DNA sequence: GTACGGCCCTGTTAGC
DNA sequence: TGCTAACAGGGCCGTA
């Protein structure tokens, strides 16, 4: 499930091949999630950006293609044209270099939007997203203030994208474990908020360095898996011993997401 | 504003 | 072996 490191990996791979390319034809699956793809006929792509888990592909006419990969979305290039026989092909753009950019998505949790550049009012999660993890204005104090704005559980807050952008289920569990913070906690002091911020930066940076985490579906633009799955210390390890203290990790469903933590070193 | 439930989807896995 | 049910999960929407 693509989170910030996976989306950043895709962005970096797309950039060199996409910038300046003109769309000479486009098509999509009939679902409204994907039909915006068709609005891009004739434009040229600019330099791909990213905000949280959203890919932002600027177009030469002052708009942006906003791509959310959902859980199983994948962007890739294909020589000579799109593979229209692929049952999971959801959208495609034929480019002026005899290559097609394809968006495939097995579970259709992904979505595409075309908006005037920088106008995200109709994309609530993007519109309300907190700062990027490495934003210089994001400090222990400002992060603490953002967390304090809600009384919801920390895990829920992280998944909401409001305190910080780009964190999903995997990296939230990893960061909370690393910072020794209970996912069900509802408030933190400034110091502990600083610990959590530092842990989030660490696990996200590690994810980027490893080209993302592939549990099952995620592939980068070249069709390769990431390698960060070998580094996970909490996520998906319920029932196994905590690497720090040996106590068995437990899991529970919070906010409809499986959450794994150590009942000993993440007591509070 | 917040909390909560439900929905979208389909491949995989567990259980019978 | 073959079937069914449960599960995975990010974002969004409606309701309270």
């Amino acid at each position: 499930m693509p989170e910030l490191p996976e989306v950043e990996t895709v962005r970096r791979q797309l950039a060199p091949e996409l910038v300046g390319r003109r769309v000479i034809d486009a098509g999509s699956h009939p679902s409204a999630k994907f039909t915006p793809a068709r609005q891009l006929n004739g434009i040229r792509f600019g330099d791909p950006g990213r905000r949280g888990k959203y890919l932002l592909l600027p177009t030469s006419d002052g708009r942006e293609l906003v791509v959310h990969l959902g859980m199983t979305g994948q962007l890739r290039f294909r020589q000579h044209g799109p593979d229209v026989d692929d049952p999971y092909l959801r959208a495609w753009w034929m480019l002026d270099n005899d290559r097609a950019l394809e968006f495939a998505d097995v579970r259709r949790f992904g979505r595409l939007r075309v908006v005037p550049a920088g106008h995200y009012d109709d994309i609530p999660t993007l519109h309300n997203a907190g700062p990027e993890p490495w934003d210089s204005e994001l400090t222990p104090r400002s992060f603490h203030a953002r967390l304090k704005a809600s009384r919801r559980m920390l895990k829920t807050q992280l998944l909401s994208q409001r305190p910080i952008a780009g964190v999903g289920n995997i990296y939230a569990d990893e960061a909370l474990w690393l910072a020794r913070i209970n996912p069900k906690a509802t408030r933190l002091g400034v110091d502990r908020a600083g610990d959590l911020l530092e842990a989030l930066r660490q696990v996200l940076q590690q994810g980027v360095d490893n080209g993302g985490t592939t549990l099952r579906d995620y592939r980068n633009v070249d069709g390769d898996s990431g390698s960060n799955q070998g580094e996970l210390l909490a996520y998906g390890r319920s029932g196994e011993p905590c690497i720090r203290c040996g106590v068995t990790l437990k899991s529970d469903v919070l906010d409809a997401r499986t959450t794994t933590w150590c009942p000993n070193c993440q007591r509070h």
Side-chain angles (χ1 to χ4, degrees):
Chain A
M1 52 295 319
E3 305 180 29
L4 186 152
E6 292 74 37
V7 178
E8 177 61 18
T9 300
V10 169
R11 186 198 70 77
R12 291 179 184 184
Q13 292 186 320
L14 277 182
E17 194 154 356
L18 196 61
V19 175
R21 292 268 74 92
R22 192 164 62 87
V23 175
I24 59 173
D25 198 6
S28 80
H29 180 277
S31 165
K33 292 177 177 181
F34 309 113
T35 51
R38 306 177 192 171
Q39 300 174 25
L40 297 187
N41 216 339
I43 62 90
R44 281 186 191 278
F45 281 112
D47 197 13
R50 180 193 54 74
R51 184 78 173 84
K53 305 177 199 173
Y54 292 84
L55 266 174
L56 309 174
L57 307 182
T59 66
S60 51
D61 61 357
R63 294 182 295 165
E64 262 177 17
L65 171 63
V66 180
V67 181
H68 196 292
L69 298 173
M71 288 180 56
T72 56
Q74 184 188 351
L75 285 165
R76 63 197 181 202
F77 291 99
R78 187 167 187 271
Q79 196 68 29
H80 305 315
D83 180 5
V84 294
D85 292 328
D86 178 350
Y88 305 125
L89 184 69
R90 306 306 181 195
W92 53 268
W93 302 270
M94 190 62 210
L95 305 175
D96 61 355
N97 61 348
D98 197 33
R99 282 164 78 79
L101 175 62
E102 296 184 326
F103 180 67
D105 182 14
V106 171
R107 293 188 206 175
R108 292 196 233 167
F109 272 45
R111 61 193 68 210
L112 307 173
R113 297 294 290 272
V114 176
V115 300
H119 287 68
Y120 309 128
D121 320 44
D122 291 337
I123 309 173
T125 306
L126 177 55
H127 184 67
N128 297 317
E132 289 293 307
W134 296 284
D135 188 325
S136 60
E137 292 181 15
L138 188 59
T139 64
R141 190 164 294 280
S142 71
F143 188 51
H144 174 254
R146 287 183 162 274
L147 292 172
K148 206 177 169 185
S150 166
R151 293 185 174 186
R152 309 179 81 179
M153 291 184 287
L154 284 176
K155 173 70 183 275
T156 302
Q157 288 209 57
L158 291 175
L159 296 184
S160 78
Q161 308 300 304
R162 284 173 176 256
I164 187 169
V167 180
N169 206 31
I170 296 173
Y171 294 97
D173 277 10
E174 292 298 299
L176 287 163
W177 180 86
L178 192 59
R180 301 174 186 249
I181 291 169
N182 191 298
K184 296 184 180 183
T186 55
R187 53 184 61 196
L188 288 180
V190 176
D191 288 350
R192 301 258 287 157
D195 291 345
L196 180 55
L197 177 58
E198 182 58 35
L200 285 162
R201 285 173 166 159
Q202 186 175 327
V203 298
L204 290 169
Q205 184 62 57
Q206 179 185 273
V208 171
D209 292 344
N210 286 327
T213 300
T214 298
L215 296 178
R216 186 173 303 159
D217 301 292
Y218 167 71
R219 295 291 184 277
N220 65 27
V221 174
D222 294 331
D224 298 326
S225 303
S227 64
N228 198 58
Q229 56 278 11
E231 307 296 325
L232 302 180
L233 303 176
Y235 178 88
R237 296 192 64 248
S238 179
E240 298 179 32
C242 173
I243 286 166
R244 250 184 332 234
C245 72
V247 167
T248 303
L249 299 179
K250 63 185 290 189
S251 67
D252 205 349
V253 176
L254 304 186
D255 205 34
R257 312 286 178 251
T258 301
T259 297
T260 303
W261 76 98
C262 174
N264 180 44
C265 39
Q266 291 173 265
R267 266 182 263 184
H268 307 291

